[in-house]
């Protein structure tokens, strides 16, 4: 059974140019995204402590994302870059969260499926960054590793959802959210940021 999904819309080529035009800003945003990803995994643990089938994997994911933050920060430090003073609101994540249904059971499902889509989008974009870094072997390898890791995380969250919901409930909602994400990603202003 395939747990991952094909994104409904590909990232526009102009996004890569925006990243290349201000790579230091991209690294700062990437660091923020890794911190938020770690916090998101732990927020599932805090909100759903009774979902014991997925707690260990959520903790592992949070630790892995925190490790990614540490790695991004090391790349920043070597380049004399600092963390952003404030973590600004991410318009992509904000728009996705507005898609979540409000009743507790459906919200839980939607949050897991959106986590999957976000990780798949991250994998796609890390692949694009990896492919463009022809003159920095160290960063190229780093983004290749992240690409692989994010793709795996996309699978993890769908598998988590299938612990609690039937496939015939998960699949249509995943497709619906995926299509909405495609519209959101196409409508957002391009910037030197992961989303």
């Amino acid at each position: 059974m395939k747990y991952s999904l094909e994104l409904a819309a590909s990232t526009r080529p102009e996004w890569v140019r925006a990243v290349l035009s201000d790579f230091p800003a991209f690294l700062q945003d990437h660091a923020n995204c890794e911190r938020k990803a770690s916090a998101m995994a732990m927020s599932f643990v805090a909100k759903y402590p009774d979902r014991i089938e997925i707690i260990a994997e959520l903790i592992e994911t949070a630790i892995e994302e925190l490790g990614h933050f540490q790695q991004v920060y090391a790349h920043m430090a070597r380049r004399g870059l600092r963390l952003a003073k404030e973590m600004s609101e991410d318009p992509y994540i904000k728009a996705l969260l507005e898609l979540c249904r409000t009743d507790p059971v459906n919200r839980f499902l939607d949050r897991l499926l959106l986590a999957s889509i976000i990780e798949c989008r991250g994998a796609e974009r890390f692949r694009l960054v990896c492919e463009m870094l022809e003159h920095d072997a160290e960063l190229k390898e780093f983004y290749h590793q992240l690409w692989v890791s994010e793709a795996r995380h996309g699978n993890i969250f769908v598998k988590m959802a299938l612990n609690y919901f039937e496939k015939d409930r998960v699949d249509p909602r995943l497709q619906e959210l995926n299509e909405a994400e495609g519209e959101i990603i196409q409508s957002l202003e391009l910037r030197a940021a992961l989303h």
Side-chain angles (χ1 to χ4, degrees):
M1 174 185 238
K2 185 180 176 188
Y3 297 109
S4 62
L5 71 154
E6 298 295 325
L7 292 166
S10 297
T11 290
R12 292 174 281 170
E14 296 85 359
W15 175 80
V16 177
R17 290 196 284 277
V19 168
L20 279 175
S21 72
D22 193 354
F23 205 74
F26 174 75
L27 285 172
Q28 284 181 319
D29 179 76
H30 178 190
N32 287 344
C33 288
E34 297 294 357
R35 284 193 280 180
K36 290 174 185 176
S38 180
M40 182 271 304
M42 287 308 297
S43 77
F44 275 114
V45 174
K47 289 177 185 171
Y48 307 105
D50 57 325
R51 307 287 190 167
I52 58 171
E53 298 82 1
I54 63 174
I55 297 291
E57 203 160 23
L58 284 166
I59 294 168
E60 255 180 62
T61 302
I63 292 168
E64 188 173 352
E65 299 286 13
L66 196 57
H68 294 166
F69 167 66
Q70 184 179 36
Q71 291 173 304
V72 177
Y73 180 72
H75 284 288
M76 290 173 64
R78 283 195 288 278
R79 289 160 176 76
L81 302 173
R82 295 182 180 202
L83 294 170
K85 286 189 177 185
E86 294 180 16
M87 284 198 284
S88 58
E89 187 173 65
D90 186 328
Y92 169 77
I93 299 298
K94 182 180 178 187
L96 288 179
L97 289 177
E98 288 172 2
L99 300 173
C100 284
R101 293 170 288 184
T102 55
D103 65 284
V105 173
N106 281 320
R107 186 166 184 81
F108 176 60
L109 173 61
D110 288 354
R111 291 289 306 271
L112 286 171
L113 298 181
L114 286 174
S116 172
I117 293 167
I118 293 164
E119 296 291 336
C120 290
R121 179 63 67 191
E124 181 220 25
R125 290 194 161 184
F126 289 146
R127 177 183 56 80
L128 293 170
V129 171
C130 174
E131 290 170 353
M132 78 179 182
L133 291 170
E134 297 175 2
H135 304 295
D136 191 326
E138 181 186 27
L139 265 181
K140 185 177 185 70
E141 176 57 26
F142 172 58
Y143 279 101
H144 181 266
Q145 290 171 4
L146 287 177
W147 160 21
V148 172
S149 175
E150 297 297 295
R152 189 176 67 253
H153 288 174
N155 296 341
I156 285 170
F157 288 105
V158 174
K159 285 190 275 189
M160 286 180 188
L162 289 167
N163 276 293
Y164 305 104
F165 302 96
E166 293 297 322
K167 187 178 184 314
D168 62 1
R169 184 172 175 186
V170 170
D171 286 350
R173 185 59 177 160
L174 181 59
Q175 192 56 41
E176 186 180 334
L177 291 171
N178 185 31
E179 288 170 12
E181 188 271 354
E183 292 174 12
I184 289 167
I185 206 73
Q186 294 296 322
S187 69
L188 290 173
E189 177 185 347
L190 292 169
R191 57 198 185 106
L194 184 56
H195 304 127

